[in-house]
Amino acid sequence: MKGIILAGGAGTRLYPMTKVISKQLQPIYDKPMIYYPLSTLMLAKIRDILIITTRDDQPLFKKQLGTGEEFGLNLSYAIQEEPKGLAQAFTIGEEFIQNEPCSMILGDNIFYGNDFVKMLQEARSVAEEGLAVNFGKKVKDPKRFGIMELDDEQNILSVEEKPEYPKSDFAITGLYFYPSDIVEKAKLVRPSKRGELEITSINEMYLQEKRLKACLLGGGFSWYDAGTNKSFIDANNFIYNRQEERGEIIACPEQIALDNGWLSNEQVFEQGLLMKNNAYGKYLMDCAKKKIIKK
């Protein structure tokens, strides 16, 4: 399975903070925002990842993440010349996807909660079997989101983009798993009244074929779309509080790579050594040491 992180756009809702630096490279507490969606795909055991950026921002993403080698990944990059909608990610990534199932996550989405790894790996299996999966979360203001209507077995009955009269309060988050015909579907999407290639149009195609499932994030699960000033600071505060409470690093790609067997103890320790003067580096060194002791 392939993975895509859509990190294009100008981030104008966060101006002037994002006038020079992409919002996905801004810090969420102790690490760049893009580490969070990157870690989500890694938890789903996805190693081949395409990062879609603007032309101006791409050099900085490459400087931050490189080839992905330090995370045990194979990273590729593509340019979104102008933001024309989420569905565009799959046509931009056509050559990268190559008729494989594909997960796509928005670069400003942050997820945290119990059983997330299990959910991700189940969603991956469902997509590999030929069904599409949308992750959903109950929200207070459904008019602001794409909304999914569900039956008792979490089959999606309808999808609507920012409806005036929502049929449910389950928002479609920025995390999607699609089967191997996703590019074929994306090519059929036509601009909406807003002039965008909507992800809702893709979902409707799978819905008509009865191939669209939901994965619901429970009440104790946290999801942030960190594209506004309020959600940005909320996400920062949440990560700070959780890490201070638990003494662990949330969304640590090196640790995930170590757990997945993509990096050795020695590699992770060496990377930690390069950052030994801060908590992140010390955490990496401790993770590597613990793995060695367990052996």
Side-chain angles (χ1 to χ4, degrees), residues 124-138:
R124 172 176 177 154
S125 295
V126 170
E128 289 173 341
E129 291 168 3
L131 302 179
V133 181
N134 284 186
F135 277 66
K137 181 81 169 67
K138 187 173 284 191

Side-chain angles (χ1 to χ4, degrees), residues 142-145 147 160-167:
K143 291 183 180 181
R144 291 183 52 237
F145 300 91
I147 293 296
E160 298 177 281
E161 185 66 31
K162 299 180 180 178
E164 181 65 27
Y165 303 101
K167 294 179 181 178

